[in-house]
Amino acid sequence: MITTCLLLVAGCESKPTNDEYAANFVPPTLLKRAEYETLLEARWTRLDRNLDGAIAQSEVPVKYAKRLNALDADHDGKITHREFISGSLARFDREDANHDGLLTNVESSAARTAEDASNNASSAAAVK
């Protein structure tokens, strides 16, 4: 009976939409670079809804637009497959602090904290 109740409660849990999951991907505790590349391909497929080889502004979830649009290397308003993969792998490499090809949540969290601090400093400087 307890197991049944736990399963029912777990089933009621709010699930993220495909857009939220794809745009706000959080890697597991330990992630190999090669595995990350595989996950990026699956993520690309979910984001490129019209399968035209680019992620247009209309396909970018508003909540994650800033992060995804940062991958638009040529600033043409769309993210190509090449921009998406190379930009995402570059981020992986920046976050992999010891450059061992494995990304831990500790490394990822530290990099995101530093990025947030930098963004906040930039925003504060722009206001002045």
Side-chain angles (χ1 to χ4, degrees), residues 41-61:
E41 289 296 337
R43 185 175 178 206
W44 169 263
T45 301
R46 286 191 304 274
L47 287 169
D48 183 19
R49 291 186 204 143
N50 62 7
L51 304 175
D52 67 349
I55 302 171
Q57 291 297 320
S58 61
E59 295 171 295
V60 175

Side-chain angles (χ1 to χ4, degrees), residues 15-36:
K15 304 266 191 239
T17 65
N18 279 343
D19 288 347
E20 289 173 339
Y21 176 78
N24 196 33
F25 172 71
V26 177
T29 302
L30 185 62
L31 183 64
K32 294 178 183 177
R33 193 174 193 273
E35 291 170 349
Y36 185 64

Side-chain angles (χ1 to χ4, degrees), residues 5-15:
C5 289
L6 290 174
L7 290 173
L8 287 173
V9 170
C12 294
E13 192 177 326
S14 174
K15 304 266 191 239

Side-chain angles (χ1 to χ4, degrees), residues 21 27 36 44 51 61 67 69 71 81 88 91 97-98 100 104 125:
Y21 176 78
Y36 185 64
W44 169 263
L51 304 175
R67 179 188 242 178
N69 289 333
L71 299 174
H81 181 263
S88 297
R91 182 181 187 107
N98 62 359
D100 64 354
T104 65

Side-chain angles (χ1 to χ4, degrees), residues 27-31 92 95-96 100-105 107-108:
T29 302
L30 185 62
L31 183 64
F92 179 99
E95 291 183 7
D96 180 14
D100 64 354
L102 298 171
L103 185 62
T104 65
N105 279 356
E107 289 173 318
S108 185

